[in-house]
Amino acid sequence: MAVHRKRFRVEDIAGGEMPILDVTEEATPMHSEIMAELRAIRAQMAKGTAPLSGSAAMAAIDASTAHELSEARTMLETYRAQIEQCEKLKVELDLIHDAIDRTKREIATLHGKSFDGGEMAKVNGELGAVVGGTEQATQQILEAAESIDQAASAMSKVQSADQQKRLADDIQERVISIFEACNFQDLTGQRISKVMTTMKFIEQHINAMMEIWGGVDAIKAHVPAPVDSRSEDEKLLNGPKLAGDVGHASQDDIDALFD
């Protein structure tokens, strides 16, 4: 707005003029504009939203960037830890897969060479032959022993040399039949040897499967508690005694009962 210069009295006197009482004062801003600016400043101060300076704005940007970088690092560490756990889990799963695959091979070997119908039928046939051969040989030996006993009793009663010779020949023939019957032991040994070979084959592969899953100590933890389901009569059948077995009465103990 235009500002009118005030003339001083000295200038009027020097010019030969009298001072004029009506002077024009400097114009001031309007009251309403000043009040509007004051209200605007008060509103900004109340809201606390005064505009930031350049340095404050840069500081705010740096703080926000640092916070985002910290969050990114934390997320990266989390992902790295999860990846390590996944790698460990993959190693464990590979070990389990390998153990299962090896166990399958052992079971397949057992099924193909031991548990199939032909092999198990052969084992059962060998054991049946052992039982049958033992029974037949025992019967033959008992019959021969009985004939020998009868011939010996008759020999003591006859006086004729011819009869004694016939009885002696009969006894000798029965003794030979006993020797022949004892040949069952050789056949029985061969058959039992075949069965034992099959049992050892099965045992080796079962032990291999146990080793795959941690050995005997690891398997013991899963063994159920023993339950004796035998009848009262079956519980009394604990023989025949093997060498080294304990808890069996010896012949000396039995003889001592009658002393």
Side-chain angles (χ1 to χ4, degrees), residues 37-252:
E37 292 294 334
L38 289 175
R39 283 193 297 270
I41 294 173
R42 187 180 295 112
Q44 290 180 358
M45 293 178 64
K47 293 181 180 180
T49 58
L52 296 175
S53 62
S55 59
M58 291 300 297
I61 293 173
D62 292 340
S64 177
T65 304
H67 180 68
E68 292 178 357
L69 287 175
S70 177
E71 290 183 349
R73 290 193 185 96
T74 302
M75 186 177 298
L76 184 61
E77 292 296 329
T78 302
Y79 289 158
R80 185 178 290 111
Q82 292 177 353
I83 291 173
E84 291 178 356
Q85 292 296 327
C86 290
E87 291 177 350
K88 292 180 180 180
L89 180 60
K90 183 181 182 301
V91 172
E92 296 295 332
L93 290 176
D94 289 340
L95 292 175
I96 294 174
H97 180 271
D98 181 66
I100 292 174
D101 187 61
R102 292 165 58 192
T103 304
K104 286 181 178 179
R105 290 198 298 267
E106 296 293 338
I107 293 175
T109 303
L110 287 175
H111 183 270
K113 295 186 178 181
S114 297
F115 291 157
D116 62 339
E119 188 67 23
M120 292 309 295
K122 185 177 180 180
V123 170
N124 293 331
E126 295 290 348
L127 292 176
V130 168
V131 174
T134 303
E135 182 180 359
Q136 182 180 359
T138 302
Q139 184 68 26
Q140 185 177 349
I141 291 172
L142 290 176
E143 290 177 356
E146 184 178 0
S147 298
I148 290 173
D149 181 67
Q150 293 175 359
S153 299
M155 185 180 294
S156 63
K157 296 178 181 180
V158 298
Q159 299 295 329
S160 174
D162 293 337
Q163 291 181 350
Q164 290 180 354
K165 185 178 182 302
R166 286 196 299 269
L167 292 173
D169 292 340
D170 185 56
I171 291 174
Q172 187 176 7
E173 183 178 354
R174 297 298 181 180
V175 171
I176 293 174
S177 67
I178 291 175
F179 289 149
E180 291 176 350
C182 289
N183 290 332
F184 84 96
Q185 182 179 2
D186 182 48
L187 297 177
T188 299
Q190 294 179 18
R191 291 190 173 102
I192 292 178
S193 177
K194 293 180 181 179
V195 174
M196 290 299 298
T197 301
T198 303
M199 294 297 105
K200 288 181 179 179
F201 178 81
I202 295 173
E203 182 182 9
Q204 290 175 357
H205 287 277
I206 291 176
N207 290 334
M209 285 188 286
M210 293 173 64
E211 290 296 330
I212 290 173
W213 295 103
V216 178
D217 294 335
I219 300 298
K220 285 181 179 179
H222 303 280
V223 175
V227 177
D228 193 354
S229 59
R230 296 179 300 173
S231 63
E232 295 299 327
D233 293 337
E234 290 176 344
K235 292 180 181 179
L236 298 176
L237 301 176
N238 296 320
K241 178 179 178 297
L242 295 174
D245 286 351
V246 296
H248 295 269
S250 64
Q251 187 61 43
D252 294 336

